[in-house]
Amino acid sequence: MRTTSRHRGVTGMITAIGVISLVAACSGGSGGNAPAGGGYPDKNITFVVPFSAGGPTDTVTRMIAEPMAAKLGGKIVVQNVEGAGGTVGAGEVARAQPDGYTVLMHHIGMSTAPALYQSLGYKPLDDFQTVGLVTEVPMTIVARKDFEPKTLQELVTHVKANASKVTLANAGIGAASHLCGLLFQTAAGVKLQEVPYEGTGPALTDLVGGQVDFMCDQTTNTSGQITAGEVKAYAVTTPERVKSLPDLPTTTEAGLPQLKVSVWHGLYVPKGTPQDVVQKLSEALKVALADQKVIDQMAKLGTAPVKAADATPEAHRARLQEQITTWGKVIADAGVKAG
């Protein structure tokens, strides 16, 4: 088995802090981008990403931070707080002051954590206020470029015959890459040797370097490597092909129709945050998602902003409720539990 010192535990630690956006201009802007009133914000807003810097959730966060700050008339700082499949960072936000200055960007893992963790420390529906959905990202199945299987069907055949030798990387239990890998194993009817990392950034780095065999990861993290030929790509996990990767078949086309999954992202604030602040954040999110630069950046990574109607607290909460129910059954059936 190929190993690396980076795929160790899931201890929470702050790994990177990046100031993403500049103070918005107070003059010369259009009416649609006028700063929010009412005194908020009057200091920096921190966007907490519960995964490593350079990973897909971090990438999406940094795309929307600048135009959101311009709308709000303040500054947004992105802070990466890793650990335990995103639960360390989410827990910190749940315990933060409910004043709108600590915002969480999380993905599908927010809906799977209740089923995965026996001692979670927070309840997604009770301890957070939803702000709005951001994007829904397809997943791709990729391998080191010299991995023997050439097609998805060949991959399934190969891993079944070499289950004890093949390594499947992920970003830790509960991460999107872990969930997608879990569905792959279920669809393929095989149990593989999983290699958890502290984020998909380092996992993909080791995949490119040949230290692990394959993984399932978001297009926001893999499109560049696929296009550059640094990894071997087998399929995209959505019903339709991705425009930025037109030659990559869907899992249905490639012969594994049971594997369908995409990763939705959303913004959260602690329960008790004033409603007018939540609305200002939601409105700023809508502005960011309508920004042509953001649209173009997302398109290059195989995704797109959600519709304005979904970038609302109400639509986001409804999606969270539905996904908690859906994934709770999947995880229970699989018998998977995190520490």
Side-chain angles (χ1 to χ4, degrees):
M1 181 187 75
R2 300 170 178 82
T3 59
T4 174
S5 61
R6 281 182 298 223
H7 51 72
R8 294 305 176 196
V10 287
T11 55
M13 61 181 178
I14 298 174
T15 59
I17 300 177
V19 176
I20 285 305
S21 53
L22 302 176
V23 177
C26 294
S27 61
S30 65
N33 288 313
Y40 173 84
D42 59 8
K43 61 180 180 180
N44 290 355
I45 301 171
T46 298
F47 274 19
V48 173
V49 176
F51 304 103
S52 62
T57 303
D58 179 72
T59 299
V60 170
T61 305
R62 293 172 191 272
M63 284 181 184
I64 67 169
E66 186 173 351
M68 282 191 68
K71 170 64 177 176
L72 291 166
K75 185 182 291 186
I76 292 175
V77 175
V78 175
Q79 187 177 41
N80 297 87
V81 184
E82 303 176 22
T87 63
V88 172
E92 286 197 9
V93 176
R95 296 185 294 271
Q97 286 294 322
D99 54 11
Y101 289 98
T102 306
V103 180
L104 174 69
M105 169 73 93
H106 210 333
H107 61 31
I108 191 172
M110 191 67 146
S111 62
T112 61
L116 284 168
Y117 293 87
Q118 294 180 339
S119 301
L120 188 57
Y122 60 85
K123 296 180 179 179
L125 289 169
D126 296 341
D127 296 328
F128 293 92
Q129 168 64 55
T130 51
V131 174
L133 295 169
V134 178
T135 186
E136 191 156 356
V137 184
M139 304 287 284
T140 53
I141 302 171
V142 294
R144 54 183 171 87
K145 62 182 179 181
D146 59 348
F147 200 36
E148 294 86 347
K150 295 181 175 61
T151 66
L152 185 60
Q153 279 294 303
E154 288 185 12
L155 175 65
V156 171
T157 300
H158 181 83
V159 299
K160 283 184 174 181
N162 300 276
S164 64
K165 300 176 183 178
V166 173
T167 50
L168 173 62
N170 63 51
I173 293 179
S177 54
H178 170 249
L179 298 169
C180 183
L182 180 64
L183 290 180
F184 172 85
Q185 292 175 81
T186 300
V190 65
K191 177 61 178 175
L192 299 173
Q193 188 170 332
E194 298 184 58
V195 184
Y197 287 75
E198 293 179 353
T200 49
L204 187 60
T205 296
D206 273 6
L207 185 73
V208 172
Q211 276 72 53
V212 286
D213 292 323
F214 82 111
M215 67 184 295
C216 186
D217 198 10
Q218 301 173 58
T219 55
T220 45
N221 204 39
T222 61
S223 291
Q225 285 78 7
I226 292 172
T227 303
E230 295 178 347
V231 296
K232 181 178 290 185
Y234 294 107
V236 62
T237 64
T238 45
E240 298 179 355
R241 293 194 180 197
V242 174
K243 290 181 180 179
S244 61
L245 300 167
D247 297 329
L248 189 62
T250 67
T251 48
T252 298
E253 292 171 331
L256 202 64
Q258 309 96 310
L259 179 55
K260 290 189 179 73
V261 61
S262 58
V263 181
W264 53 274
H265 293 75
L267 293 178
Y268 303 80
V269 289
K271 179 79 174 290
T273 300
Q275 282 303 117
D276 63 328
V277 172
V278 175
Q279 285 303 129
K280 286 177 181 178
L281 286 166
S282 183
E283 290 304 314
L285 174 61
K286 291 176 186 176
V287 169
L289 297 181
D291 186 282
Q292 192 59 50
K293 182 179 178 181
V294 172
I295 294 171
D296 292 343
Q297 287 176 326
M298 286 192 178
K300 290 179 181 178
L301 298 175
T303 187
V306 300
K307 297 178 181 178
D310 290 327
T312 64
E314 297 76 19
H316 185 182
R317 184 174 177 82
R319 183 62 180 276
L320 178 61
Q321 287 178 312
E322 178 268 324
Q323 288 280 281
I324 287 174
T325 300
T326 298
W327 280 103
K329 184 178 186 308
V330 171
I331 291 167
D333 289 348
V336 177
K337 285 291 182 183

